[in-house]
Amino acid sequence: MPRRRNDCVAPAPMILTFRKALRSFSRDPGLTSHVDYPIDLPNIKKSELICLSRPMIIFWLCFFFTFSVNTLTLADSGAYRLRAGDTIEISVAGVSEMRQRFVLDLDGQISVPLGGVLRAEGSTIGELRDILQRILPARAFRTTGSEGQDVQRVIESQDIAVNIVDYSPVYINGDVVKPGEQRFRPNMTVRQAVALAGGYEVMRYHLVDPVIQSADLGADYETLWTEQAREQARLARLKAQLSNEAQLGTGAAESTPVSNQLQSDLVNNESQQLALWHSDFDKEMAFLTRATKSATDQLAELVEQRDKEKEGAAADSAELERLSAFNKQGDVTSNRVVDARRAMLLSSTRVLQTEEQIVQITREREGYIRRIEKLKDEGRSAILKEVEESQLRLAAINARIAATADKMVYTSTMRSQLPISKLGGPSVIIIRGDRENRSNTEASEDSVLEPGDVIEISIIPKIKLTEKQG
């Protein structure tokens, strides 16, 4: 069939290629400003070139239009207004140096090159883009060309793009595994924030399961009551020792978890210790009393012996004087005088020895008496100190019993509140707004969050817990 003149002819494969510049149809700065087209041109007719390039031009036009519409939709979707902490990106098509990110400061402002300080808080992305499109096109700047030369360029309004890179984070606190900051994502719900925080934490204030801890607290509670019963029995024994009574005092019976058998065993044990103490004390007192009596009797004998020896020494001294007088008259020999003098010296020596024994026995007797007094005084002082320590231990045990009882009440409450479904779900409060205008709103797990929200999670709703306690 003969070929008509306007028919398109497929070109023969060639090696020669060239670059054809095509202006971007999108204002997104991420798109490149020119595209490479491999086309073989030698000996191709003008009509054939038009037929070849037309489908490609239509394809690229559709692609750029679709991408631009999608980009515009993401940038301007909703009526979200910027707030402090948001991160935005401002770029100019074809100028990589003008692509910069800015974080809104506490005052909601950003500092834009060639634009100065702008207040972005409270504006939408579209409004901020309109502001930049009015300011920046009036600015000229120098940039480096492809060959390294300085090129002066004027920004065109359609080349400016503004996008949100990151939103202000949300904060979750309360009964979750990992409370803290969470990155905000569009259409983020409370349920998703809880999932990112590791899920619900039933025992935020405990390290173990409430069922296990309840059993441990029950064992501790009974142990503390046993310690209290033992300390009370010990205190009764100390008071009996202090008053020198042979039996333990019986106080008013209290209702305790301790069995009667255990209490009886504790009392019998302390009674036996009291009996042993009395036995040791009585033996020590009896020994010291006997030693004192023995020293007193021995002292009386020595005093009597000393008196007799003093009489003998006086007689020997008188005999010596009489014989000495007779010796001077020549009636008595010198030997008898010497014997009398020896007898007198012997009697005096015996008197001195007896006096020394009397002093020694007197000292021993006083030592025994002092030991008796010391035994009473030191024993009483030691008992008073033990009574004080026992009372302090008893007070500490009573305080621990009260604290353990409170823990048991709380743990039993936690056990009863474990099934969340029975309580209708967790309590969720969203704190929203800026520093000047904040609001607390009760929400559900499916509530949609906004950037900067603070979420308070309570696994036990306070209202229902109050009703249950009442």
Side-chain angles (χ1 to χ4, degrees), residues 90-114:
I90 301 176
S91 60
V92 177
V95 184
S96 59
E97 296 86 348
M98 294 294 292
R99 180 188 295 269
Q100 295 186 15
R101 293 186 177 183
F102 304 90
V103 180
L104 274 67
D105 58 17
L106 294 177
D107 297 328
Q109 297 178 343
I110 57 175
S111 181
V112 182
L114 303 178

Side-chain angles (χ1 to χ4, degrees), residues 220-269:
D220 294 341
Y221 189 70
E222 294 182 0
T223 302
L224 289 173
W225 276 108
T226 304
E227 292 181 2
Q228 187 205 48
R230 183 182 62 182
E231 200 63 37
Q232 287 179 342
R234 184 171 181 270
L235 184 59
R237 171 178 63 82
L238 293 174
K239 290 182 177 180
Q241 292 177 1
L242 194 62
S243 59
N244 199 20
E245 296 178 357
Q247 300 293 332
L248 295 180
T250 56
E254 298 181 359
S255 177
T256 63
V258 183
S259 63
N260 295 331
Q261 181 63 36
L262 181 57
Q263 288 185 349
S264 177
D265 293 341
L266 292 174
V267 171
N268 292 335
N269 184 25

